[in-house]
Amino acid sequence: MSPVLAGVLQLLALTGALALVHVPLGGYMARVYDSRRHLRVERWIYKGTGADPGTEMTWTAYLRAVLAFSVAGVLFLYLLQRLQGVLPGSLGFASVSPTQSFNTAVSFVTNTNWQSYYGEQTMGHVVQTAGLAVQNFVSAAVGMAVAIALVRGFARSRTGELGNFWADLVRGTVRILLPLAVLAALVLVACGGIQNFSGIHEVGQFMGGTQQWNGGAVASQEAIKELGTNGGGYFNANSAHPFENPTPFTNLFEIFLILVIPFSLTRTFGVLVGSVRQGYAILATMGVIWLGFTALMMATEFAHHGPALQAAGGAMEGKEVRFGVGASSIFAASTTLTSTGAVDSFHSSFTGLGGGLTMLGMMLGEIAPGGTGSGLYGMLIMAVIAVFLAGLMVGRTPEYLGKKIGAREMKLAACYILVTPALVLVFTAASMALPTPPHSMLNSGAHGFSEVLYAFTSAANNNGSAFAGLNANTDWFNVTTGFAMLLGRFLPMVFVLALAGSLAAQRPVPVTAGTLRTEKPLFTGLLVGAILIVTGLTYFPALALGPLAEGLA
């Protein structure tokens, strides 16, 4: 079988699997967030934390709860790393340095999971399980909770209440993420992923000799890292490591885990707003962009020239021979179009245009299908902008899901889409103007610039993947990427929740003959165009200096 055909068949199998679970999983999540019943274990959590799940919150109260919970998470994870040297199960590793502890704590709490360290040489069992793995669950649940709050803003009217953050957080963790992660971990263990708490030991190599590796609760962390679109690898090689990703089947399964909740949340959205066709319109938009990026990625990586690349079946540098070009391309497109950051190949080794596609996927705001929760609320923000643009074309007050999109709503949407470009471009420019980055860059010229641009694109968009050619474990990059992650995560949430509160307070607008039908293919096309033009062109000058210059050289 040719490598191209194998890649296409894997893409078809993945699409079919996502289609099979879309309706049942999306409907189940809608029932979870719309339920008035509390499980016994949930009541224990509420009692232990002092939270009242029955209290409705305004958008300001919801935001305060999100920020308070996240600040507590950053402090706890920071202290856990600083105390690692005296904790049991540290495997002899020293405490993590202050700047790296700050960067890592922020990274995992913001669902970014950017790593400027070697996981198997830095973090012991306690930090990995009690710190990083826990944040993999709750940071994803926070993103889902904010998305549901925005959906309630569209679904409710004449109220300022968006639900209860603590109830949404607990339900998302206990009823959705935890059961799915357990099932996924069992599949990974059955297929060869490791799950233990062993110390450092000798591992034989295929070509003779041995190498030292430590064990760990890898399969369980791998499951939630993909399912929650987190991306932090237990080992430095991430999902290219055979302990994390043993076979071509597990590779495809991990891509499925990355995409399944973000795609299924569109069904949840449709059910909660009372129109599943609206959910299908958002799903179609996400699907068109994802399939388009994946096809382009495969085309750039299979467009091999010269006898060496032809013999290898494509641009194989930096790719696992277990997976090949096709599966690596699907993984790269999926992980950068979501806020995952897991990698099964080195994006720095992709072709110039292929590396540019990984960056552009993040620059779109990671909305196709995007992160767990963050993809849905990012796409809904873009839908508001698309409706506004359509209203300008016909001279009519724009409406979306029965809510008027006025000056306040557009200001909030505009602020949302301007946050991450400002962070990416300002921090990249500052880094290139200082003498420090050239010493961190493995390459010079356009590719070296791409390494720095990719780093801040990944951090500000809460992705977490890296170009693999940049030494980011410096005080400058640890601090600046840390602030990029914080601002890139929580500033957009401020505007999302403010928009949700504004929409929930409105009276519903009746549908008339002049109302734009946002469940139709025409709107899907308009939304795709708005995403590519409004967000994609923002970064064009920066892309022209890096991956485009390299790809066209």
Side-chain angles (χ1 to χ4, degrees), residues 397-400 402-406 409 502-503 506-507 509:
T397 301
E399 304 163 8
Y400 185 53
K403 301 296 177 72
K404 287 187 177 181
I405 308 302
E409 289 75 24
S502 178
L503 294 171
Q506 290 188 27
R507 295 176 180 268
V509 179

Side-chain angles (χ1 to χ4, degrees), residues 450-538:
S450 294
E451 292 172 1
V452 178
L453 178 63
Y454 192 107
F456 286 108
T457 301
S458 177
N461 287 281
N462 302 129
N463 180 274
S465 64
F467 227 33
L470 182 74
N471 175 23
N473 189 17
T474 64
D475 288 344
W476 169 258
F477 279 111
N478 278 331
V479 172
T480 53
T481 56
F483 279 110
M485 288 184 281
L486 275 175
L487 297 174
R489 175 71 164 178
F490 295 114
L491 272 182
M493 284 186 176
V494 172
F495 302 126
V496 168
L497 291 173
L499 177 62
S502 178
L503 294 171
Q506 290 188 27
R507 295 176 180 268
V509 179
V511 177
T512 65
T515 301
L516 175 65
R517 302 296 296 273
T518 53
E519 77 280 10
K520 298 291 185 179
L522 177 63
F523 179 72
T524 297
L526 175 65
L527 184 51
V528 171
I531 291 167
L532 296 177
I533 294 172
V534 174
T535 61
L537 290 182
T538 304

Side-chain angles (χ1 to χ4, degrees), residues 313-399:
M316 280 298 296
E317 180 188 340
K319 297 182 178 68
E320 273 290 312
V321 294
R322 291 174 294 149
F323 310 139
V325 175
S328 298
S329 298
I330 299 171
F331 202 115
S334 299
T335 196
T336 51
L337 282 167
T338 60
S339 65
T340 310
V343 293
D344 72 347
S345 55
F346 286 122
H347 294 176
S348 184
S349 296
F350 277 44
T351 61
L353 296 178
L357 285 171
T358 61
M359 276 189 269
L360 183 58
M362 294 184 289
M363 290 168 175
L364 292 183
E366 296 181 314
I367 53 178
T372 303
S374 61
L376 178 61
Y377 65 66
M379 182 61 78
L380 292 177
I381 292 289
M382 291 308 304
V384 167
I385 292 173
V387 166
F388 178 77
L389 294 176
L392 291 179
M393 295 177 188
V394 299
R396 177 183 170 86
T397 301
E399 304 163 8

Side-chain angles (χ1 to χ4, degrees), residues 18-19 21-30 33 144 147-148 151 259-288 367-380 383 400-401 527:
L18 292 169
V21 301
H22 174 75
V23 172
L25 180 58
Y28 170 73
M29 290 191 290
Y33 287 112
M144 295 169 69
I148 294 301
V151 173
L259 300 171
V260 64
I261 291 181
F263 271 131
S264 297
L265 275 173
T266 60
R267 176 76 180 189
T268 305
F269 161 69
V271 171
L272 291 179
V273 299
S275 174
V276 294
R277 296 180 68 184
Q278 296 286 350
Y280 283 132
I282 299 298
L283 173 64
T285 305
M286 292 178 172
V288 166
I367 53 178
T372 303
S374 61
L376 178 61
Y377 65 66
M379 182 61 78
L380 292 177
Y400 185 53
L401 300 178
L527 184 51

